[in-house]
Amino acid sequence: MFDRIFDGSLMPHGHCLLWRGDLLFLHLAGDISTVLAYALIPVGIFYFIHKRKDIEFSWLALLFACFIAFCGASHLIGILNIWHGYYFIEGVIKLLTGIISIVTAIFLWRLMPSFIRIPSIEMLQERNAQLEAVRSELEEVNKTLEEKVKQRTLELERQANTDTVTGIASRYAIIERLQQCYSSFERYRRPFSILMVDIDHFKQVNDTHGHQVGDDVLHELAQCIFNNIRGSDTVGRYGGEEFLVLLPESNAAKSLELAERIRSEIEQLHMVNDIHVTASVGVSTITEGISCDVLISQADKALYAAKKLGRNGVIAYHEDLPNLT
Ligand SMILES: Nc1nc2c(ncn2[C@@H]2O[C@H](COP(=O)(O)OP(=O)(O)OP(=O)(O)O)[C@@H](O)[C@H]2O)c(=O)[nH]1
């Protein structure tokens, strides 16, 4: 059996190619270079598959590598057969090469639709450019939205901080400012005072002239207070017809003086429908150990006293303030 396989005497030695130098050169050069290439290509494929474990269809690449390796073996036996006629071995190798080639071809054609679907570099570049355009568009939309949110937030903040009827600080804003002054007092002992201004008999204005005119009066009066305070002071609408004025760095005497001026200015105001109003003012100055709430209640007590004493007056809170009921 082995004799049949390795029997290289099928062609008499020396008859092959008749030892013509040109034929020998052509066949040897062609086969040797092909064998070398066919040995290197499968090694390259194995190396690639080893490095790129993510590649799909790697088994097909392996099949392809085997097919090339067998083609290389056919050429190798072709070289040997120049000297000896190992045609049995050559036949076996050719048969194996044929089988593996057919298997590879079948799988290659079965997978052809999938290969065709694989996007080309141009297609990927085009897709990438489209995605990039969408991304820039989204970025632009995002910027616009952010800007709108910013504007809306500012608008909401402005609305929350401003009283719509009078245009001065809202109750929320004036209380916040009061807390800031109080913190500053607690930390740096910065004094401050507050005025509680309340329009006298405002109900009569509403009842006589209507609610809209009442609103106009509130607006004019608020602006009057605003025009008589410093930039560092704040006036806010504390309640219906009640205003809270915050006076940082102002002691009791200075605050009383300002309260009197405001009261007097209000008294002299000529408002819509020739309306004249007066206001009562309660003054309170921060002292050690009292809270914001106590400070406000002191101003309220002083205001109440001013009302009880005939309105259109200014009273500063002090310990001996009579408990008027
Ligand atoms: N037009 C208008 N009126 C308001 C507003 N808020 C409160 N008022 C009115 O202010 C009036 C307050 O009346 P009162 O609490 O009796 O006080 P007053 O009439 O000013 O009397 P004294 O404070 O005791 O001098 C009520 O008629 C409320 O309807 C507002 O936003 N607009």
Side-chain angles (χ1 to χ4, degrees):
M1 174 68 180
F2 278 111
D3 288 349
R4 278 178 73 84
I5 294 172
F6 294 105
D7 183 5
S9 63
L10 286 169
M11 182 185 289
H13 178 67
H15 279 215
C16 178
L17 305 176
L18 299 175
W19 302 114
R20 265 178 53 187
D22 55 342
L23 286 177
L24 266 175
F25 173 76
L26 282 174
H27 282 262
L28 272 177
D31 280 337
I32 288 171
S33 54
T34 308
V35 165
L36 271 176
Y38 279 16
L40 287 175
I41 290 171
V43 173
I45 292 174
F46 282 129
Y47 182 73
F48 177 72
I49 290 169
H50 171 69
K51 287 284 172 190
R52 287 289 305 269
K53 301 224 165 27
D54 60 307
I55 290 289
E56 266 187 82
F57 313 119
S58 58
W59 55 270
L60 184 69
L62 283 175
L63 211 57
F64 198 68
C66 291
F67 148 69
I68 291 177
F70 271 95
C71 288
S74 298
H75 285 272
L76 185 65
I77 199 74
I79 296 170
L80 294 177
N81 282 351
I82 294 175
W83 283 272
H84 301 281
Y86 294 125
Y87 293 116
F88 191 87
I89 296 173
E90 188 177 20
V92 170
I93 290 174
K94 277 187 174 172
L95 181 64
L96 288 175
T97 307
I99 291 168
I100 206 158
S101 305
I102 284 173
V103 172
T104 308
I106 289 169
F107 279 112
L108 183 75
W109 277 105
R110 280 184 64 180
L111 289 170
M112 195 57 83
S114 306
F115 291 152
I116 288 170
R117 277 199 302 273
I118 293 173
S120 67
I121 288 180
E122 285 76 23
M123 284 158 83
L124 286 173
Q125 279 170 345
E126 197 181 317
R127 187 87 191 102
N128 208 29
Q130 284 170 355
L131 286 173
E132 187 54 39
V134 171
R135 197 191 62 79
S136 326
E137 211 173 292
L138 283 175
E139 212 169 66
E140 212 46 50
V141 170
N142 203 29
K143 261 190 207 160
T144 315
L145 279 176
E146 269 176 9
E147 191 52 42
K148 277 190 179 162
V149 167
K150 212 164 127 187
Q151 279 173 7
R152 188 76 189 118
T153 308
L154 283 174
E155 177 60 20
L156 287 173
E157 263 174 27
R158 198 192 60 75
Q159 280 175 12
N161 289 330
T162 311
D163 177 62
T164 44
V165 175
T166 58
I168 57 170
S170 65
R171 181 186 167 92
Y172 161 79
I174 190 74
I175 288 176
E176 201 172 62
R177 184 82 187 91
L178 179 65
Q179 300 286 357
Q180 286 168 3
C181 280
Y182 188 75
S183 303
S184 180
F185 171 73
E186 273 188 317
R187 190 150 183 197
Y188 308 109
R189 291 285 161 260
R190 293 247 181 259
F192 69 96
S193 299
I194 60 169
L195 313 181
M196 199 63 93
V197 183
D198 188 285
I199 308 174
D200 298 327
H201 301 303
F202 185 60
K203 189 172 178 311
Q204 282 175 15
V205 176
N206 271 336
D207 292 348
T208 315
H209 303 277
H211 211 266
Q212 182 53 54
V213 174
D215 278 2
D216 295 343
V217 169
L218 285 172
H219 184 266
E220 279 192 58
L221 194 131
Q223 292 307 314
C224 172
I225 300 174
F226 183 81
N227 293 335
N228 279 283
I229 57 176
R230 287 177 298 192
S232 53
D233 302 336
T234 317
V235 55
R237 190 167 173 209
Y238 191 66
E241 83 300 10
E242 203 172 8
F243 301 89
L244 178 63
V245 187
L246 195 59
L247 310 168
E249 307 289 338
S250 187
N251 60 25
K254 275 189 199 162
S255 309
L256 197 63
E257 208 177 289
L258 178 67
E260 180 50 37
R261 196 168 77 229
I262 289 173
R263 186 207 60 75
S264 162
E265 290 287 332
I266 292 172
E267 192 180 23
Q268 291 166 45
L269 273 179
H270 293 277
M271 302 207 211
V272 279
N273 291 11
D274 210 21
I275 296 169
H276 287 272
V277 290
T278 58
S280 303
V281 188
V283 185
S284 172
T285 302
I286 191 76
T287 47
E288 206 66 53
I290 65 164
S291 66
C292 268
D293 288 346
V294 171
L295 184 72
I296 288 175
S297 75
Q298 287 179 352
D300 260 338
K301 271 186 195 156
L303 171 66
Y304 189 70
K307 292 266 183 190
K308 283 288 164 187
L309 290 172
R311 294 180 172 82
N312 193 20
V314 175
I315 299 275
Y317 174 82
H318 54 90
E319 294 287 329
D320 309 324
L321 201 64
N323 210 353
L324 304 160
T325 47

